[in-house]
């Protein structure tokens, strides 16, 4: 090979490497904002106004709008992660972010993605701190920070409404607290602002695990699309059954259960059962999709509330 051909070869290789992130990597090259806005989980009538890739370099915020700032935690990389899930903010005790620039007259939803990526038995909770000194409100009680798909652990995306009292001062602290395991971890945080003044009935699709042959990660968005065919509905998908034990459940007019728990994955207990019972007895809607009738096998009263369950 002569010198000119060698030079052409080097130039071609350099061009290939330069273009690799936007050609072969596909979804990897999509920015954090686009990734979040493309999720089917987001409640209708809401706009993404802030997001942060925890442990990474991407930090999105609208002009003069809310923004996240890390207060406590260190960066780490997940070898099996992809894109914005390849990095985490982690701490032996608590990962905290300050969120300021909030409009006290607006409604917000906080989104979080977390993942016990090395399967170390983590349990963690999500709290909001307000005031000085900080007063803490638990949005999500302690649970496993992951979901299961096809019988294998994977990340979980959770979306939780913020009460007016939590945004009244214009700023708050988001805390992911270690309850068990080696550390607290969080992959991404985002904030959604309600921008549509249309009044809708709120529907929450709860998923995060199912029978191994049932692909909930594919079916949940289809259920959401069907429900969104009725423009009177505001639909959100959350991938944590611990939401059933949270006070935020009362924010919704109906719960659509696309979930089956397993003791070795995401075991349920008195917290979830009490939350479901109170919710149904309050007169709100509760709908189950297919094998959700197999959920909560250890809870004998479940059949009295929903009418029919799977009896193994």
């Amino acid at each position: 090979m002569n010198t000119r051909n060698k030079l052409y070869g080097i130039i071609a290789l350099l061009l290939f490497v330069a273009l690799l992130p936007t050609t072969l990597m596909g979804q990897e090259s999509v920015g954090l904002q686009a990734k979040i806005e493309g999720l089917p989980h987001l409640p209708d009538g809401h706009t993404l106004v802030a997001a942060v890739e925890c442990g990474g370099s991407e930090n999105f915020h609208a002009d003069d709008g809310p923004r996240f700032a890390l207060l406590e935690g260190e960066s780490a990389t997940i070898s099996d992660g992809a894109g914005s899930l390849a990095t985490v903010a982690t701490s032996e005790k608590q990962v905290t972010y300050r969120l300021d620039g909030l409009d006290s007259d607006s409604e917000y939803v906080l989104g979080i993605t977390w993942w016990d990526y090395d399967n170390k038995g983590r349990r963690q909770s999500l709290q909001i701190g307000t005031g000085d000194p900080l007063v803490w409100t638990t949005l999500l009680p302690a649970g496993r920070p992951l979901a299961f798909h096809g019988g294998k652990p994977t990340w979980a995306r959770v979306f939780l409404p913020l009460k007016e009292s939590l945004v009244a001062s214009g700023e708050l602290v988001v805390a992911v607290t270690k309850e068990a395991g080696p550390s607290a971890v969080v992959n991404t945080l985002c904030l959604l602002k309600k921008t549509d003044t249309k009044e809708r009935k709120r529907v929450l699709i709860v998923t995060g695990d199912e029978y191994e042959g049932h692909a909930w990660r594919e079916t949940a968005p289809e259920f959401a699309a069907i429900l969104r065919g009725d423009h009177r509905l505001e639909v959100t998908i959350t991938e944590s059954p611990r939401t059933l034990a949270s006070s935020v459940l009362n924010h919704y007019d109906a719960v659509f259960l696309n979930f089956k728990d397993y003791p070795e994955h995401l075991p349920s207990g008195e917290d979830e059962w009490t939350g479901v019972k109170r919710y149904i007895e309050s007169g709100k809607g509760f709908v189950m999709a297919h094998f959700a009738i197999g959920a909560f096998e250890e809870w004998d009263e479940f059949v009295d509330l929903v009418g029919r369950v799977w009896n193994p």
Side-chain angles (χ1 to χ4, degrees):
M1 182 181 292
N2 60 37
T3 303
R4 179 178 294 179
N5 288 340
K6 287 182 179 179
L7 181 59
Y8 287 160
I10 293 173
I11 292 172
L13 178 61
L14 291 173
L15 286 172
F16 174 78
V17 173
L19 292 174
L20 183 61
T22 56
T23 55
L24 297 184
M25 293 179 69
Q27 186 67 19
E28 293 291 320
S29 65
V30 178
L32 180 63
Q33 178 187 0
K35 287 179 183 177
I36 294 175
E37 290 178 337
L39 292 174
H41 303 61
L42 310 188
D44 305 88
H46 289 66
T47 300
L48 179 69
V49 292
V52 60
E53 179 186 15
C54 304
S57 59
E58 290 199 68
N59 193 333
F60 162 78
H61 56 84
D63 293 340
D64 300 322
R67 64 183 65 195
F68 291 98
L70 180 65
L71 297 178
E72 181 180 356
E74 299 178 351
S75 299
T77 300
I78 302 173
S79 59
D80 295 330
S84 60
L85 297 180
T87 61
V88 296
T90 182
S91 170
E92 292 184 357
K93 295 181 179 179
Q94 190 179 67
V95 177
T96 59
Y97 279 83
R98 182 175 65 249
L99 177 58
D100 58 18
L102 297 164
D103 180 358
S104 61
D105 295 326
S106 297
E107 296 183 28
Y108 293 97
V109 171
L110 177 69
I112 183 170
T113 303
W114 54 19
W115 184 12
D116 186 13
Y117 59 93
D118 49 5
N119 204 27
K120 294 291 188 180
R122 289 178 177 83
R123 287 177 58 82
Q124 51 195 49
S125 58
L126 177 64
Q127 285 127 1
I128 300 297
T130 55
D132 185 16
L134 289 173
V135 176
W136 294 100
T137 299
T138 298
L139 281 194
L140 199 65
R144 298 197 69 186
L146 79 172
F148 282 82
H149 190 253
K152 297 179 180 180
T154 183
W155 62 85
R157 295 185 174 100
V158 184
F159 291 87
L160 302 159
L162 298 176
K163 293 181 179 179
E164 291 181 5
S165 59
L166 298 179
V167 302
S169 67
E171 64 178 48
L172 52 82
V173 175
V174 180
V176 176
T177 304
K178 181 191 82 170
E179 307 290 349
S183 59
V185 296
V186 54
N187 298 85
T188 62
L189 288 169
C190 70
L191 186 71
L192 309 164
K193 180 179 181 180
K194 185 173 182 180
T195 52
D196 186 351
T197 58
K198 184 184 230 180
E199 289 298 323
R200 308 172 193 257
K201 293 293 184 180
R202 302 182 180 115
V203 180
L204 180 68
I205 297 177
V206 178
T207 189
D209 198 7
E210 245 281 18
Y211 169 65
E212 187 172 332
H214 297 171
W216 61 263
R217 187 149 266 161
E218 287 74 24
T219 59
E222 293 295 330
F223 285 132
I226 292 169
L227 293 171
R228 285 174 176 139
D230 187 334
H231 299 293
R232 297 171 298 176
L233 302 180
E234 174 191 303
V235 183
T236 305
I237 300 174
T238 194
E239 298 174 351
S240 175
R242 290 298 284 160
T243 307
L244 300 171
S246 171
S247 62
V248 304
L249 198 64
N250 294 326
H251 177 79
Y252 301 96
D253 299 290
V255 167
F256 188 109
L257 194 66
N258 186 33
F259 168 79
K260 163 73 175 81
D261 56 322
Y262 291 91
E264 65 273 22
H265 291 173
L266 301 173
S268 65
E270 293 287 346
D271 287 352
E272 289 93 348
W273 303 347
T274 299
V276 169
K277 181 178 179 181
R278 287 176 178 170
Y279 186 82
I280 293 175
E281 290 181 343
S282 73
K284 295 188 176 184
F286 194 84
V287 180
M288 297 184 296
H290 191 41
F291 205 45
I293 65 168
F296 314 136
E297 287 180 41
E298 294 79 17
W299 182 23
D300 295 335
E301 194 177 358
F302 190 47
V303 66
D304 299 325
L305 292 169
V306 300
R308 184 180 184 181
V309 299
W310 178 67
N311 186 340

